[in-house]
Amino acid sequence: MVVRESFALLPSYVPAVMYAILVPIAIAFIYGIYRVFARFELWKALRSLNTGSLSRGFSRVITQRRVIEKLKGFPHIFLFFGTLLLFLGTVTVFLETDVLKHFGLLILKDTSYFLFELIMDLSGLIFLIGVLLLLPTREREGKLLLLGLLYIGISGFLMEATRISSSPNEASIYSFIGNSLSGLIGSSLRGLYEAIWWSHAILAFIMIAYLPYSNLLHSLTSLVTSSLEEDGVEFPREPFLLQDVENVEELRVGFERPEELPWYEKYRLAACVKCGRCTDSCPANQVGRPLSPRDVVIGLRGSLLGAHYELRDETVWSCVACGACSLSCPNYVKPLDFLMERRRRLVFDGRIDKKMGELVNSLRRYRNSLSVPQRGRLSWLSSDEDPDYYIWVGCQYSFDPIGKRIVSRLVELLRSSGLRIATFGEMETCCGEPVRRLGEEGMFQEFVMANSELFKELGVKKLLVVCPHGLTVFRKEYPRIVRDWDVEVVSHVELLARLHGEGRLKLRQIDDLTFHDPCNLSRYNGIVEEPRSVLRGLRGYREMRRSGKDTFCCGAGGANYWYQGESSMAKERVKEAQEIGAKNVVVACPFCYAMINDAIKGMGAEDLRVLEISELLE
Ligand code: SF4
Ligand code: SF4
């Protein structure tokens, strides 16, 4: 019988010394884990796990789905599977050597042993490939960790080769790497074997002890975030429900110090691997604003562990709430939430500038975001009795001449398809999205209560929303607040795509166009295919470099439209449209329309024009 020999080629005192060294290692590891659990409130996250969420987490981790969405994530697959298999192999050896053998049991013998050797060599190879591919992509700390892993991998193979050349057996050929290496180095390292063994073991122990204090921590925490977090972009949870608040004086929202973050956001900080994908995808960062979501996450995490970090106001207000960072994070850390939580506190403390104050005042005084009287709102749009849909036009298109033209034509189109459309007239106010993104949670919830009451009074069952910002709050955020919410919320893009698919609307002949996906349509609501089902029928339709869920924000989101006053993001978008030779930029959001239109004018790019998606149909 061929069996695996433990501690081969080593003096007999080695096991006892090794276990003695393991004691402080275990203490350091356990203390590190305790510290992480305490500072990041991981206990609370663990208590929220259940079988369903855990199976989702395991499937996300095993498939590495988020990681490989970007090409640069592929090397991680090698490291992940290599490490996982080597870890399982080590546990198997430990079980056999330290538990089963004492009961006269052996798992690794003959065929199972041969198979084990084959799998371990294959895993070691995959592991080393992963380490080598990732090495150039990491910064200093990551490089040091990877170099440590590289040494562990290479020394493991060298020891295996030395063992094989000293005492070959039937299993040797299954250790295909060690066996080939033994042909090259023979027993030249025999005299150094014990030294290599100790350096290999001690480095591996140090890595284990260091795990909770380093980037390697994500190997434990990413399973929790992958289990608990949703796939899409969600706005952070409500810090309170206005309807349940008894004493407004006691309310506290957002955070000054990260210790004040709610546990369901705090625990995520422990899962960051500093990969920088969030920053790579951040439009604010790309146009040179002082915002790197990666640095925000790392800073807050460091602060929870005792380091100094100041999250500056200008960083917080640079965010356009586009959701790109949250959607691109392989570990579901969701940097957007920390910025929005901080805004809540800044607004709560009155730390907002004049323009932000004007937005809040406009909504308080006029109930719309444009500081214009409500009287006559939507008087230009007739309303049908017994409607199929109530239309929510949104503030921008309600008052803007271009918007009035677009919506009038849209409603005509829908009526020509046999649908009856009712309006709210002067009763339509703001949906509350701008103040929620600004951080004024109380005012947002006032709009939620007022609008949901209006819908109840009128018996609204189907709401057609023209503005994707309104779509997000009505579809995803109102139901979290209004207990008996029973309204089907439909985007005008979804409805137009359906009517076009059913042959009830026809395409006009417009050439050379591209589509700018609004963040609120593609990222927040996953509406990517619907506009394309219309656009693909047109000659010369081309995608821009960044499209679908990888779209690039126009710069209006996160209430920036009201306070930022610059259009560098929209200009980026215009350049992208020009790069592909488009003559028409099709949009599906009032704010994208305004931003891109202004950018075109500002750049003198008069050969380009903006079209609303409904203008493609007749
Ligand atoms: S939401 Fe958008 S702008 Fe804000 S940090 Fe994330 S990627 Fe940057
Ligand atoms: S927050 Fe996510 S995407 Fe950003 S650096 Fe951390 S792990 Fe990477």
Side-chain angles (χ1 to χ4, degrees):
M1 183 168 64
V2 188
V3 294
R4 188 178 184 283
E5 195 188 341
S6 307
F7 300 105
L9 307 184
L10 291 169
S12 56
Y13 66 82
V14 166
V17 177
M18 185 194 80
Y19 288 117
I21 293 173
L22 267 178
V23 174
I25 296 291
I27 292 172
F29 178 80
I30 291 167
Y31 173 73
I33 292 290
Y34 162 77
R35 191 178 78 131
V36 166
F37 269 69
R39 304 273 169 91
F40 296 98
E41 297 195 56
L42 262 168
W43 289 117
K44 291 185 181 162
L46 287 187
R47 277 207 293 266
S48 307
L49 292 170
N50 56 41
T51 331
S53 61
L54 265 175
S55 72
R56 172 170 75 172
F58 272 114
S59 118
R60 283 172 172 176
V61 169
I62 292 293
T63 56
Q64 296 276 287
R65 216 180 65 206
R66 270 278 177 104
V67 179
I68 57 173
E69 266 173 15
K70 296 270 183 287
L71 197 61
K72 82 178 201 187
F74 271 91
H76 190 269
I77 289 225
F78 290 92
L79 187 62
F80 171 74
F81 282 108
T83 311
L84 182 67
L85 290 170
L86 289 172
F87 171 74
L88 292 176
T90 309
V91 171
T92 310
V93 169
F94 169 78
L95 263 182
E96 175 162 293
T97 312
D98 295 300
V99 183
L100 299 176
K101 254 188 188 167
H102 301 297
F103 298 97
L105 292 170
L106 284 177
I107 343 170
L108 302 176
K109 58 183 179 186
D110 296 331
T111 314
S112 63
Y113 175 37
F114 302 154
L115 193 63
F116 178 80
E117 291 296 295
L118 181 70
I119 293 173
M120 285 302 99
D121 263 36
L122 200 58
S123 310
L125 180 65
I126 294 172
F127 171 83
L128 281 178
I129 292 173
V131 171
L132 289 170
L133 289 175
L134 282 170
L135 206 47
T137 68
R138 291 296 186 261
E139 289 174 8
R140 209 168 61 98
E141 187 201 353
K143 273 198 168 55
L144 274 176
L145 288 171
L146 287 169
L147 284 172
L149 294 176
L150 187 67
Y151 181 80
I152 290 171
I154 291 174
S155 55
F157 278 130
L158 288 175
M159 288 191 295
E160 184 178 58
T162 308
R163 282 196 304 269
I164 289 173
S165 65
S166 299
S167 47
N169 62 23
E170 284 172 57
S172 302
I173 53 161
Y174 295 95
S175 305
F176 62 100
I177 297 198
N179 201 33
S180 314
L181 257 181
S182 76
L184 288 174
I185 62 169
S187 50
S188 58
L189 294 178
R190 179 67 187 85
L192 288 173
Y193 185 83
E194 190 180 344
I196 297 174
W197 191 92
W198 276 116
S199 63
H200 173 94
I202 287 175
L203 190 57
F205 293 163
I206 290 173
M207 290 282 212
I208 292 169
Y210 188 49
L211 187 146
Y213 306 89
S214 73
N215 242 358
L216 298 172
L217 178 64
H218 81 280
S219 53
L220 303 178
T221 48
S222 60
L223 175 62
V224 190
T225 47
S226 301
S227 299
L228 292 180
E229 299 304 327
E230 293 302 324
D231 245 336
V233 181
E234 305 284 333
F235 198 74
R237 289 189 209 175
E238 300 61 48
F240 56 82
L241 287 180
L242 201 56
Q243 54 209 314
D244 297 339
V245 172
E246 284 172 5
N247 186 358
V248 184
E249 301 298 312
E250 286 174 6
L251 279 181
R252 269 281 168 283
V253 292
F255 71 99
E256 182 70 39
R257 294 172 301 112
E259 286 81 358
E260 297 170 65
L261 280 166
W263 71 265
Y264 49 82
E265 286 163 4
K266 198 186 287 177
Y267 91 96
R268 287 189 225 138
L269 290 167
C272 176
V273 281
K274 306 182 185 173
C275 66
R277 278 195 196 186
C278 49
T279 296
D280 291 347
S281 65
C282 175
N285 183 274
Q286 285 176 36
V287 298
R289 289 193 192 170
L291 165 59
S292 158
R294 172 187 180 273
D295 293 351
V296 170
V297 169
I298 294 172
L300 292 173
R301 175 157 101 171
S303 176
L304 276 177
L305 294 170
H308 172 73
Y309 173 67
E310 184 196 345
L311 177 51
R312 287 158 52 208
D313 293 7
E314 58 175 345
T315 299
V316 175
W317 296 119
S318 291
C319 176
V320 288
C322 69
C325 53
S326 296
L327 208 56
S328 63
C329 175
N331 282 340
Y332 302 86
V333 176
K334 307 197 169 179
L336 163 70
D337 294 16
F338 306 111
L339 294 159
M340 294 300 123
E341 289 288 7
R342 181 71 188 126
R343 281 187 179 193
R344 283 174 173 166
R345 177 59 66 88
L346 290 178
V347 171
F348 186 82
D349 290 344
R351 284 168 63 179
I352 54 174
D353 71 14
K354 189 163 165 275
K355 285 186 178 166
M356 296 168 194
E358 282 168 5
L359 170 64
V360 173
N361 287 336
S362 168
L363 288 163
R364 188 169 289 132
R365 181 167 173 202
Y366 298 104
R367 313 298 292 161
N368 64 60
S369 58
L370 299 181
S371 295
V372 288
Q374 281 282 100
R375 182 171 302 165
R377 179 169 178 159
L378 301 184
S379 57
W380 44 273
L381 196 59
S382 63
S383 188
D384 292 336
E385 294 294 322
D386 193 17
D388 295 297
Y389 292 94
Y390 273 87
I391 189 168
W392 189 273
V393 176
C395 295
Q396 186 72 9
Y397 277 170
S398 289
F399 298 104
D400 166 56
I402 296 176
K404 289 179 184 175
R405 173 177 58 75
I406 287 170
V407 175
S408 300
R409 190 174 175 282
L410 167 68
V411 171
E412 259 174 49
L413 267 185
L414 299 177
R415 287 181 177 145
S416 72
S417 313
L419 295 173
R420 288 183 305 280
I421 308 292
T423 81
F424 293 103
E426 287 178 7
M427 290 183 292
E428 181 180 316
T429 61
C430 178
C431 61
E433 195 262 2
V435 268
R436 178 158 243 211
R437 300 310 184 249
L438 191 74
E440 225 304 6
E441 183 66 21
M443 185 180 274
F444 168 67
Q445 293 200 24
E446 282 169 16
F447 275 108
V448 173
M449 300 323 291
N451 287 329
S452 57
E453 276 307 311
L454 174 68
F455 297 165
K456 251 182 249 168
E457 269 169 38
L458 297 176
V460 176
K461 288 287 169 225
K462 287 186 177 183
L463 188 68
L464 176 65
V465 187
V466 185
C467 171
H469 295 250
L471 179 78
T472 300
V473 289
F474 285 130
R475 185 181 272 181
K476 300 179 76 177
E477 297 171 28
Y478 274 50
R480 297 188 333 207
I481 297 168
V482 183
R483 294 206 174 95
D484 48 355
W485 179 259
D486 183 26
V487 181
E488 184 190 337
V489 181
V490 179
S491 155
H492 77 300
V493 179
E494 292 171 308
L495 184 59
L496 290 173
R498 178 162 71 78
L499 295 173
H500 171 251
E502 291 168 0
R504 291 157 76 182
L505 291 175
K506 299 270 176 283
L507 280 171
R508 293 169 65 204
Q509 215 26 264
I510 298 171
D511 297 342
D512 296 324
L513 29 80
T514 189
F515 182 62
H516 164 73
D517 292 86
C519 305
N520 272 283
L521 216 54
S522 61
R523 290 209 190 94
Y524 280 85
N525 289 288
I527 300 173
V528 172
E529 182 48 35
E530 291 84 347
R532 284 165 179 79
S533 71
V534 174
L535 287 150
R536 273 198 288 265
L538 289 165
R539 205 170 47 209
Y541 167 65
R542 283 181 289 266
E543 292 286 0
M544 282 187 272
R545 188 158 45 86
R546 293 172 281 201
S547 62
K549 289 186 179 177
D550 286 331
T551 188
F552 191 80
C553 182
C554 70
N560 276 237
Y561 183 77
W562 289 273
Y563 69 78
Q564 200 58 259
E566 62 101 16
S567 58
S568 47
M569 290 182 206
K571 285 180 180 159
E572 277 284 305
R573 214 50 178 150
V574 172
K575 281 186 215 151
E576 270 187 51
Q578 286 174 323
E579 275 168 24
I580 56 164
K583 296 276 174 274
N584 300 286
V585 182
V586 180
V587 297
C589 167
F591 297 103
C592 298
Y593 195 116
M595 295 299 284
I596 293 179
N597 210 21
D598 286 352
I600 286 174
K601 284 185 196 150
M603 294 165 76
E606 308 297 352
D607 52 332
L608 262 182
R609 69 171 170 166
V610 183
L611 287 174
E612 214 286 333
I613 191 162
S614 56
E615 295 182 281
L616 305 179
L617 294 160
E618 58 186 8

